[in-house]
Amino acid sequence: KAGVTQTPRYLIKTRGQQVTLSCSPISGHRSVSWYQQTPGQGLQFLFEYFSETQRNKGNFPGRFSGRQFSNSRSEMNVSTLELGDSALYLCASSKGVGLEHNEQFFGPGTRLTVL
Amino acid sequence: AQKVTQAQTEISVVEKEDVTLDCVYETRDTTYYLFWYKQPPSGELVFLIRRNSFDEQNEISGRYSWNFQKSTSSFNFTITASQVVDSAVYFCALSVNTGTASKLTFGTGTRLQVTL
């Protein structure tokens, strides 16, 4: 069974640009969550999607957005990039929402560097 | 609000030593789940264990064991006879009942270095 896949794995952008990251969950999993990992702030929750609806959102500015498609694949977008957005962006999938389905499996991440 | 504290920033051991990684959590919820993840240098978070708040039984899986104590709000992880391949950053995480969401609150991680 294939795991969570994320594309691209590495990305270099300049300040002010926008970026779109993609995540394909494990087959059969319908919930996708996104996390940002930085040396200073650690692992922080961005948002979670289930059935094409955002179910939960972390404390990030509106420049961070996402969406989920009918096949459960998800994308996240960051507009007007800032240097501080440089991070490892991790996607996690789980079967559903709620505690009983909260076993989350993570992808390899997309390392974004903003110059 | 939820909080997870991993006070040990970095631990270095020699192969075959036992090592315990500490995790202390804070939540007012009575229903919650605790997790441990391993992050090797490749960056991917590898799921190790999930434990719910109603199950305080200790768990053993090979060289790994977990000790969950609600009285001290701790969920410690022990690696017995450590190996070089255990070198990684280990994260403890907490998830509470929000009805429709599965947000994980992570600790800051403990970097384990196992040397020969």
Side-chain angles (χ1 to χ4, degrees), chain A residues 35 37 48 97 102 104 106, chain B residues 37 39 50 100-102 104:
Chain A
Y35 294 82
Q37 185 177 25
E48 179 189 20
V97 293
N102 66 358
Q104 294 189 26
F106 284 79
Chain B
Y37 284 89
Q39 187 174 44
R50 178 180 70 162
T100 61
S102 304
L104 287 171

Side-chain angles (χ1 to χ4, degrees), chain A residues 37 43 90 104 106-107, chain B residues 6 21 35-49 63-64 66 77 79 83-93 106 109-110 112 114:
Chain A
Q37 185 177 25
L43 277 157
L90 291 161
Q104 294 189 26
F106 284 79
Chain B
Q6 294 180 257
L21 310 181
F35 300 77
W36 275 95
Y37 284 89
K38 173 183 179 180
Q39 187 174 44
S42 61
E44 183 171 345
L45 281 170
V46 178
F47 171 84
L48 295 177
I49 190 172
R63 296 184 297 107
Y64 296 169
W66 290 269
F77 172 32
I79 302 175
Q83 300 176 1
V84 172
V85 293
D86 295 328
S87 297
V89 181
Y90 290 85
F91 291 94
C92 180
F106 285 90
T110 297
L112 174 64
V114 182

Side-chain angles (χ1 to χ4, degrees), chain B residues 4-115:
Chain B
V4 176
T5 301
Q6 294 180 257
Q8 304 152 308
T9 304
E10 191 161 345
I11 300 175
S12 291
V13 299
V14 177
E15 200 176 42
K16 296 183 184 176
E17 285 186 6
D18 298 347
V19 58
T20 296
L21 310 181
D22 298 332
C23 172
V24 174
Y25 62 93
E26 295 177 30
T27 179
R28 292 183 178 180
D29 288 69
T30 56
T31 303
Y32 52 88
Y33 278 80
L34 294 163
F35 300 77
W36 275 95
Y37 284 89
K38 173 183 179 180
Q39 187 174 44
S42 61
E44 183 171 345
L45 281 170
V46 178
F47 171 84
L48 295 177
I49 190 172
R50 178 180 70 162
R51 171 69 71 206
N52 75 53
S53 52
F54 299 108
D55 183 1
E56 284 193 75
Q57 282 192 345
N58 291 334
E59 173 120 359
I60 298 175
S61 176
R63 296 184 297 107
Y64 296 169
S65 63
W66 290 269
N67 182 274
F68 175 31
Q69 291 194 339
K70 287 178 75 171
S71 61
T72 55
S73 297
S74 64
F75 186 44
N76 297 336
F77 172 32
T78 296
I79 302 175
T80 302
S82 59
Q83 300 176 1
V84 172
V85 293
D86 295 328
S87 297
V89 181
Y90 290 85
F91 291 94
C92 180
L94 167 70
S95 181
V96 301
N97 185 13
T98 61
T100 61
S102 304
K103 168 188 171 183
L104 287 171
T105 299
F106 285 90
T108 51
T110 297
R111 181 178 300 277
L112 174 64
Q113 184 72 36
V114 182
T115 56

